[in-house]
């Protein structure tokens, strides 16, 4: 038995010596390496010195290459066949869809028109202040209904023009000097309801009301819409053109009070809106773009957008 040589080195801490074994490759490993070397050497010698052996090895290599190529060709063919099949299916699907679109083109066009109409209308009317009311029918209570049916109300006397030309009024409502304040141009039913609002505001709450503008011609409506800050509605898009709307404010010490920053006026607007709704009118203070002084009458059977017929048609 051969023992491996021993080596020793001192331990720095204990000053003792440790013994280490130096190992050598085993005899089995050496034998395997020699056998592999011999096989490689014999194979190389056979290739160079023995033509039959070289032919056999080449035929084996060619057969292996042929099988690999055949499998690869079969896989490529299957992939190409799958692609061709997918193309044929897509082509057939496209043709079928095309035939359906041609057969149902009228129905498709009608459906597309119906779906596209709302957003197109919204874009066309963007920025215009149309139909700003809640659509609810205001039903006056019995007491107010009795007053409407029985009492004859008279419009208040007209105010001097300079009252509507103050700096406060011009800041809130520009171009008000040439506005119409003719009560006779208002619809009869609307005029009666508005005068009743004036009466209740004066007798119950102590507020004197003043008419800023009633009927508004189509030309003035377009002019105000272009001016901005007053209205976004064009001609025949406002109840003013039909004598069914009015803008109102308060009268205090002989002056028009229109500013919403005035607490007294703001309280008056709230009472005014409540009273207007009680007599069947629609108050602009409930709109998204609030107009506290505005009221309008949604008369039964009336359709907004048609040119007026009657005394206001040529105004």
């Amino acid at each position: 038995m051969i023992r491996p040589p021993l080596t020793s080195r001192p331990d720095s801490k204990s000053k003792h010596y440790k013994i280490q074994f130096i190992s050598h490759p085993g005899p089995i490993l050496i034998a395997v390496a020699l056998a592999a070397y011999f096989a490689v050497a014999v194979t190389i010698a056979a290739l160079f010195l023995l033509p039959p052996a070289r032919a056999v090895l080449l035929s084996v290599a060619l057969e292996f290459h042929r099988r690999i190529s055949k499998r690869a060709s079969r896989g490529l063919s299957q992939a190409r066949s799958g692609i061709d099949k997918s193309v044929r299916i897509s082509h057939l699907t496209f043709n079928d869809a095309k035939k359906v679109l041609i057969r149902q083109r009228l129905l498709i066009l009608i459906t597309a028109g119906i779906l596209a109409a709302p957003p197109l209308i919204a874009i066309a009317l963007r920025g215009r202040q149309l139909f700003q009311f809640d659509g609810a029918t205001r039903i006056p209570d019995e007491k107010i209904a009795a007053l409407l049916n029985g009492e004859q109300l008279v419009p208040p006397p007209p105010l001097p023009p300079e009252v509507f030309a103050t700096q406060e009024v011009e800041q809130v409502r520009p171009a008000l000097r040439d506005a119409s304040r003719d009560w006779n141009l208002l619809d009869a039913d609307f005029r009666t309801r508005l005068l009743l609002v004036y009466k209740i505001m004066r007798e119950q709450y102590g507020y004197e009301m003043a008419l800023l503008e009633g009927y508004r011609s189509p030309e003035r409506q377009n002019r105000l819409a272009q001016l901005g800050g007053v209205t976004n509605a064009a001609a025949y898009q406002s109840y003013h053109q039909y004598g069914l709307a009015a803008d109102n404010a308060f009268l205090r010490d002989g002056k028009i009070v229109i500013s919403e920053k005035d607490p007294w006026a703001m309280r008056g607007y709230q009472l005014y809106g409540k009273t207007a709704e009680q007599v069947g009118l629609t108050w602009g203070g409930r709109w998204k773009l609030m107009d506290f002084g505005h009221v309008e009458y949604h008369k039964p059977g009336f359709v907004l957008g048609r040119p007026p017929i009657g005394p206001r048609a040529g105004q």
Side-chain angles (χ1 to χ4, degrees):
M1 181 177 180
I2 302 175
R3 296 180 178 274
L6 301 178
T7 60
S8 62
R9 62 182 180 88
D11 189 347
S12 61
K13 293 183 179 180
S14 60
K15 295 184 180 180
H16 294 288
Y17 290 90
K18 290 185 177 181
I19 299 175
Q20 293 182 342
F21 291 91
I22 300 177
S23 60
H24 293 285
I28 297 176
L29 183 61
I30 295 174
V32 171
L34 291 175
Y37 174 77
F38 179 76
V40 171
V42 169
T43 302
I44 294 174
L47 288 175
F48 282 98
L49 300 177
L50 301 176
R54 184 168 61 246
V56 171
L57 289 176
L58 289 176
S59 64
V60 171
L62 290 175
E63 180 64 20
F64 180 75
H65 178 267
R66 186 184 64 81
R67 291 184 179 182
I68 295 297
S69 300
K70 186 177 180 180
R71 290 185 180 181
S73 177
R74 187 184 301 113
L76 181 61
S77 178
Q78 291 177 352
R80 186 179 301 168
S81 176
I83 293 173
D84 293 340
K85 186 177 180 181
S86 300
V87 170
R88 287 195 301 271
I89 293 175
S90 300
H91 185 69
L92 292 175
T93 304
F94 176 77
N95 288 337
D96 292 340
K98 183 178 179 181
K99 293 177 181 178
V100 172
L101 291 175
I102 293 174
R103 286 199 305 267
Q104 305 294 336
R105 59 182 179 275
L106 181 60
L107 180 61
I108 293 173
L109 289 175
I110 293 174
T111 304
I114 293 174
L115 294 176
L120 290 177
I121 293 174
I123 293 173
L125 300 180
R126 181 177 54 187
R128 296 187 177 184
Q129 187 176 344
L130 299 180
F131 308 107
Q132 296 197 45
F133 53 90
D134 55 10
T137 301
R138 308 292 181 184
I139 302 177
D141 59 32
E142 295 181 358
K143 179 180 178 181
I144 296 178
L147 289 174
L148 287 174
N149 293 329
E151 187 173 354
Q152 296 293 327
L153 301 176
V154 179
L159 297 173
E162 57 269 17
V163 174
F164 303 95
T166 63
Q167 183 177 1
E168 177 186 354
V169 175
E170 284 290 337
Q171 288 178 350
V172 181
R173 285 296 306 271
L176 196 61
R177 297 187 181 186
D178 57 344
S180 172
R181 287 176 279 274
D182 188 349
W183 287 84
N184 294 321
L185 294 179
L186 298 179
D187 178 86
D189 293 337
F190 173 59
R191 180 173 62 246
T192 302
R193 283 170 167 76
L194 185 58
L195 287 174
L196 183 56
V197 172
Y198 275 43
K199 174 182 174 65
I200 295 173
M201 289 295 295
R202 181 178 63 255
E203 295 181 356
Q204 293 189 15
Y205 304 117
Y207 282 86
E208 289 288 343
M209 303 290 299
L211 179 64
L212 299 179
E213 184 171 13
Y215 170 78
R216 184 183 295 159
S217 68
E219 294 76 18
R220 175 173 166 78
Q221 185 71 42
N222 284 330
R223 190 164 63 252
L224 292 177
Q226 294 175 359
L227 180 64
V230 178
T231 180
N232 293 324
Y236 302 118
Q237 295 174 350
S238 169
Y239 281 82
H240 281 284
Q241 275 83 80
Y242 307 90
L244 292 170
D247 298 324
N248 304 274
F250 306 107
L251 191 64
R252 181 177 61 186
D253 300 330
K255 296 182 180 180
I256 296 291
V257 181
I258 191 174
S259 175
E260 300 165 8
K261 299 179 181 179
D262 190 316
W264 177 82
M266 197 60 202
R267 178 178 177 273
Y269 280 128
Q270 297 295 332
L271 296 172
Y272 161 71
K274 174 184 175 182
T275 305
E277 291 176 341
Q278 287 177 342
V279 301
L281 302 179
T282 297
W283 178 43
R286 296 194 183 278
W287 295 345
K288 292 181 180 180
L289 184 60
M290 293 181 290
D291 190 352
F292 290 103
H294 180 92
V295 290
E296 58 191 33
Y297 180 38
H298 298 165
K299 193 170 184 176
F302 171 76
V303 178
L304 184 67
R306 298 176 181 175
I309 301 175
R312 287 178 295 274
Q315 296 291 334

